[in-house]
Amino acid sequence: LKFVCVSNDGNDQHMIWLIGLKNIFARQLPNMPKEYIVRLVMDRGHKSVMVVRRNTVVGGITYRPYVSQRFGEIAFCAITSDEQVKGYGTRLMNHLKQHARDVDGLTHFLTYADNNAVGYFNKQGFTKDIFLEKERWHGYIKDYDGGILMECKIDPKLPYTD
Ligand code: ACO
């Protein structure tokens, strides 16, 4: 089992993984238009942290780092159906936080969580209260009807992975 962070950089293996992740999102997020999922997963400004087992993608999180604003927006998050509730979603989020802090220099995440995923995001340290100053995110992320805006502060020192 491994955790990788890739973007659409022309590497064949990265492209194969991103297509696998796109297919998981399309199945697990049925309310999202498939073209929108493909566009963001393949967008060079987005990154995806993925769980890969026996070279097969089990799930992942696609996010956009706003490096100048030091926050990231999580666009999609899913684990394939037969592997849910085994702890992968938690480990994935921990790898995301570690990477975002240590590689991108981010301090916070924002996401529009689906109603049924609020419980999962709560357990990952996200709150419905937004503490990040509005100047830092206003105009960068757009309002979206289908979810609840949630925020997570990344601990500056905590080792999130072993
Ligand atoms: N509601 C409430 N609690 C949840 C949910 C949920 N939907 N999903 C998981 N949890 C809980 C688990 O019970 C567990 O609690 P515990 O630590 O007390 O045992 C904890 O959250 C972590 O569980 P994991 O096993 O790590 O989570 P999992 O691997 O199942 O991944 C995920 C969670 C990503 C939400 C997965 O269930 C999934 O893909 N769901 C369908 C797609 C989805 O809803 N994605 C999020 C949409 S919002 C967005 O993408 C921005």
Side-chain angles (χ1 to χ4, degrees):
L1 189 86
K2 63 181 173 185
F3 292 85
V4 297
C5 182
V6 307
S7 62
N8 180 3
D9 57 5
N11 175 296
D12 287 351
Q13 178 64 78
H14 294 174
M15 190 59 79
I16 291 165
W17 284 335
L18 288 172
I19 291 166
L21 182 61
K22 177 266 291 177
N23 291 335
I24 292 172
F25 289 153
R27 191 169 282 249
Q28 295 302 317
L29 306 169
N31 297 327
M32 288 286 175
K34 289 192 175 55
E35 314 75 62
Y36 180 64
I37 294 174
V38 179
R39 183 152 61 79
L40 265 52
V41 170
M42 296 304 168
D43 172 57
R44 285 163 195 274
H46 282 72
K47 291 183 170 188
S48 297
V49 176
M50 292 182 245
V51 193
V52 177
R53 196 181 53 198
R54 287 183 248 109
N55 210 33
T56 303
V57 181
V58 169
I61 295 174
T62 294
Y63 74 106
R64 177 166 173 181
Y66 289 100
V67 174
S68 67
Q69 307 307 108
R70 299 180 68 209
F71 80 88
E73 180 183 11
I74 294 174
F76 312 118
C77 167
I79 299 289
T80 197
S81 53
D82 46 350
E83 303 290 349
Q84 289 176 8
V85 209
K86 294 181 178 178
Y88 290 132
T90 298
R91 295 177 67 189
L92 184 64
M93 186 63 78
N94 285 332
H95 277 83
L96 172 71
K97 289 173 181 171
Q98 182 105 22
H99 181 94
R101 178 187 65 197
D102 298 346
V103 178
D104 303 323
L106 309 184
T107 63
H108 291 76
F109 273 110
L110 292 173
T111 193
Y112 280 101
D114 287 355
N115 266 302
N116 62 358
V118 168
Y120 162 74
F121 281 107
N122 267 324
K123 285 191 172 147
Q124 309 308 320
F126 285 69
T127 62
K128 293 181 187 175
D129 295 314
I130 308 300
F131 299 101
L132 195 62
E133 315 83 80
K134 198 163 186 187
E135 301 78 57
R136 256 172 84 184
W137 60 271
H138 190 67
Y140 287 87
I141 66 170
K142 50 184 180 304
D143 271 334
Y144 161 67
D145 284 344
I148 299 136
L149 186 63
M150 296 185 81
E151 170 187 295
C152 177
K153 183 181 184 330
I154 307 170
D155 188 281
K157 291 212 182 75
L158 191 71
Y160 282 109
T161 63
D162 34 49

